[in-house]
Amino acid sequence: MNREELKEKYAKKRVPHEWRGTDFLSTLVTTFFGSGMSPKAPGTMGSLAATIVAYPMAFFAIKFDSVFYGLNPLFIVAAIIVFFAAIPFVNKAMKDTGTEDPGWIVIDEVCGIFMTFALVNPYIIVDNPITLLVGFALFRFFDILKPLGIHRFEKFPGAWGVMADDLLGGIYAGILMFPISIAIDLISL
């Protein structure tokens, strides 16, 4: 994504509280329980909220033995469910408010964060919470800069474009998190 495209997307004038133009349930889902309502950096706040939720999810994965060859299928399933379940809510919210990928819609960041931790052993997340910060930073890097063709996914129609670019960003961050989390675990021993 070149500088002009970034400026056009992120420097546009924002209407305060435009999320009020849709129904309560769509607002609740698309803002991830209000985390996207932050006046500053709503995408970062949504990603942070999802990262906080990822910690107890790792405990849940361990408790119910949801570890497959050291990986975390719970996060893969959660990312896929969030992706497809959010599509109608995102479409409705954008239609009701007359917006296209507004910053307050952060459910896409939630999907991306869950995918970021899909290749990380939940034992590593629980034993080394620093892994959450590294994953958060990596995902935000891919979400903001959109390298490696991620920006092309934004061009999908409606909610598909809103959700798909963050899912791909989460996949890229997850691929990097796999060796990084192992290194973090080895260093902490």
Side-chain angles (χ1 to χ4, degrees):
M1 187 172 259
N2 64 33
R3 180 172 268 182
E4 287 81 31
E5 289 174 331
L6 283 170
K7 186 175 182 181
E8 182 181 320
K9 178 170 170 92
Y10 294 106
K12 60 185 170 188
K13 189 175 179 182
R14 296 180 190 224
V15 179
H17 310 299
E18 63 188 5
W19 44 265
R20 289 185 178 167
T22 192
D23 64 283
F24 176 75
L25 185 58
S26 294
T27 300
L28 193 67
V29 170
T30 59
T31 64
F32 193 56
F33 303 100
S35 62
M37 294 178 185
S38 171
K40 301 264 187 196
T44 300
M45 293 300 124
S47 299
L48 182 60
T51 303
I52 291 168
V53 169
Y55 193 65
M57 282 177 67
F59 276 105
F60 187 78
I62 291 169
K63 180 175 171 88
F64 292 98
D65 202 24
S66 174
V67 181
F68 183 73
Y69 291 105
L71 304 179
N72 196 339
L74 175 67
F75 280 90
I76 295 170
V77 169
I80 291 169
I81 289 172
V82 167
F83 182 88
F84 287 108
I87 295 288
F89 292 105
V90 172
N91 272 331
K92 181 171 182 355
M94 290 192 310
K95 181 181 176 195
D96 290 350
T97 60
T99 58
E100 189 173 316
D101 198 3
W104 51 268
I105 292 181
V106 297
I107 193 68
D108 51 335
E109 275 82 5
V110 174
C111 177
I113 285 289
F114 289 170
M115 189 54 76
T116 297
F117 295 113
L119 299 178
V120 178
N121 187 323
Y123 287 98
I124 295 175
I125 293 172
V126 170
D127 292 342
N128 303 293
I130 191 79
T131 307
L132 293 168
L133 293 175
V134 175
F136 169 81
L138 273 174
F139 173 72
R140 290 306 294 155
F141 168 80
F142 285 108
D143 187 33
I144 293 168
L145 297 181
K146 302 192 185 312
L148 305 170
I150 295 173
H151 67 279
R152 291 183 187 149
F153 281 68
E154 285 184 313
K155 294 180 171 71
F156 289 175
W160 294 100
V162 173
M163 298 298 293
D165 69 316
D166 289 275
L167 182 64
L168 183 58
I171 290 170
Y172 286 156
I175 290 169
L176 290 176
M177 277 305 295
F178 181 71
I180 290 171
S181 65
I182 293 170
I184 289 171
D185 193 41
L186 291 173
I187 290 169
S188 71
L189 291 178

